[in-house]
């Protein structure tokens, strides 16, 4: 008989959305679309050339708006509906496919593509439309402070206090489709394991922080995750 878990934390990365037709970051046709990371995903680039960065994410918003969840996202929703306990999804993905799959308890630690944040008043708002250095904040009504709500290199990931509490109190931690090279997410498995959780990885191949996982399931998330989730119900 399976161990009974009470609080499960899933960490998802680009690999869970690969079967929805979204390229992962570190693949040959990576998500940065042949741009240098330094030009589109750092806070320095944003301050230096905001409209270039706005345009890059405007295009990404257009690319992502019609993407749909795959069986891996849907399996997490199924688990949340039927599991007698708590299920959290900490995602590094900005694509909103967990929302489109109707999942709950989602923490977007790297932000999300359909949100803009105002660097003047700190408030965020939702849009699938374009933004630019001339966009006005609907709250403080200042122009020139709007930024895509994406966590760039050089910025703090979001919801870290809540995530740390979850990692220390969960009894099962499952990492899906992440290469384990970008911190702090890459270190989550270590925290969860240290505080006593069972740790499992689902990936095409071994992630760089594989040492801390109790078990590896190799294969496509869309195939392996629904099978694994059946064992939890
Ligand atoms: P990566 O592109 O680094 O890694 C994707 C992982 O998914 C790899 O380990 C692949 O083996 C695996 N993978 C690919 N297809 C899969 C499939 N169908 N099923 C299961 N696994 C599959 O993406 P992330 O680890 O998510 O941050 O990247 C982490 C962060 O790096 C991103 O959130 C982004 C980037 O910097 C920011 O932009 C702040």
């Amino acid at each position: 008989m399976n161990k009974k878990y009470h609080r499960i934390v899933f960490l998802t990365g680009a690999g869970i959305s690969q079967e929805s037709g979204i390229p992962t970051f570190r693949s040959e046709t990576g998500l940065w679309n042949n741009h240098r990371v330094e030009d589109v995903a750092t806070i320095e680039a944003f301050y230096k050339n905001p409209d270039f960065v706005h345009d890059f994410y405007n295009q990404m918003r257009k690319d992502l708006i019609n993407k749909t969840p795959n069986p891996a996202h849907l399996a997490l929703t199924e688990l949340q509906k039927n599991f007698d306990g708590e299920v959290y999804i900490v995602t590094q993905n900005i694509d909103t496919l967990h929302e489109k799959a109707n999942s709950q308890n989602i923490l977007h630690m790297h932000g999300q593509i359909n949100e803009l944040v105002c660097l003047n008043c700190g408030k965020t708002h939702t849009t699938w439309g374009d933004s630019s250095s001339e966009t006005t904040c609907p709250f403080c009504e200042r122009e020139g402070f709007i930024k895509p709500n994406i966590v760039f290199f050089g910025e703090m990931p979001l919801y870290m206090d809540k995530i740390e509490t979850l990692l220390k109190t969960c009894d099962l931690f499952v990492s899906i489709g992440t290469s384990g090279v970008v911190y702090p997410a890459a270190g989550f498995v270590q925290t969860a394991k240290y505080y006593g959780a069972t740790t499992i990885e689902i990936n095409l191949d071994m992630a760089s922080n594989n040492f801390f996982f109790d078990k590896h399931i190799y294969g496509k998330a869309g195939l392996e995750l629904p099978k694994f989730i059946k064992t939890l119900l």
Side-chain angles (χ1 to χ4, degrees):
M1 197 176 123
N2 278 318
K3 185 176 164 189
K4 175 90 184 86
Y5 298 107
H6 300 281
R7 176 176 276 187
I8 308 177
V9 174
F10 289 90
L11 170 68
T12 64
I16 195 170
S17 297
Q18 186 267 334
E19 291 157 80
S20 293
I22 304 175
T24 56
F25 285 92
R26 290 167 182 81
S27 63
E28 265 171 34
T29 52
L31 243 188
W32 283 303
N33 237 334
N34 298 325
H35 286 77
R36 292 190 324 147
V37 176
E38 300 78 28
D39 294 336
V40 293
T42 62
I43 194 66
E44 291 81 6
F46 182 70
Y47 283 124
K48 214 164 109 195
N49 200 346
D51 280 316
F52 182 80
V53 176
H54 275 292
D55 284 347
F56 177 79
Y57 290 98
N58 289 340
Q59 184 56 50
M60 193 182 277
R61 223 170 272 128
K62 290 184 181 71
D63 293 342
L64 292 178
I65 189 167
N66 292 321
K67 298 293 183 202
T68 53
N70 68 56
H73 301 98
L74 298 172
L76 291 179
T77 308
E78 194 61 22
L79 179 68
Q80 287 186 320
K81 278 190 191 145
N82 298 304
F83 182 69
D84 182 19
E86 295 170 36
V87 180
Y88 292 87
I89 301 170
V90 177
T91 187
Q92 300 169 87
N93 300 342
I94 60 172
D95 59 30
T96 74
L97 289 186
H98 290 302
E99 279 82 357
K100 288 179 181 171
N102 288 321
S103 281
Q104 310 290 320
N105 298 338
I106 307 160
L107 294 160
H108 273 278
M109 63 177 291
H110 289 168
Q112 54 194 86
I113 190 68
N114 63 338
E115 277 186 3
L116 301 173
V117 60
C118 175
L119 298 178
N120 182 51
C121 71
K123 294 202 171 122
T124 58
H125 70 278
T126 304
T127 180
W128 284 96
D130 286 352
S131 61
S132 77
S133 59
E134 290 174 1
T135 303
T136 301
C137 173
F139 300 105
C140 69
E141 297 180 353
R142 297 281 302 272
E143 188 186 295
F145 288 96
I146 288 289
K147 172 187 160 296
N149 194 20
I150 311 288
V151 174
F152 294 142
F153 288 97
E155 292 187 301
M156 286 293 283
L158 308 172
Y159 312 114
M160 285 309 295
D161 286 350
K162 167 98 179 159
I163 292 170
E164 191 157 324
T165 302
L166 290 174
L167 294 171
K168 289 178 175 173
T169 54
C170 67
D171 42 21
L172 176 63
F173 172 84
V174 186
S175 166
I176 308 165
T178 176
S179 55
V181 296
V182 176
Y183 281 82
F188 288 174
V189 59
Q190 191 172 354
T191 306
K193 191 171 171 62
Y194 182 81
Y195 282 86
T198 302
T199 55
I200 298 178
E201 175 187 47
I202 301 179
N203 202 320
L204 291 182
D205 47 41
M206 220 184 250
S208 63
N209 53 350
N210 68 86
F211 178 78
F212 297 103
F213 289 103
D214 297 317
K215 186 178 171 191
H216 303 271
I217 299 172
Y218 295 122
K220 290 193 167 197
L223 200 65
E224 297 304 327
L225 187 59
K227 278 197 272 176
F228 172 69
I229 277 175
K230 279 208 179 92
T231 68
L232 298 172
L233 290 172

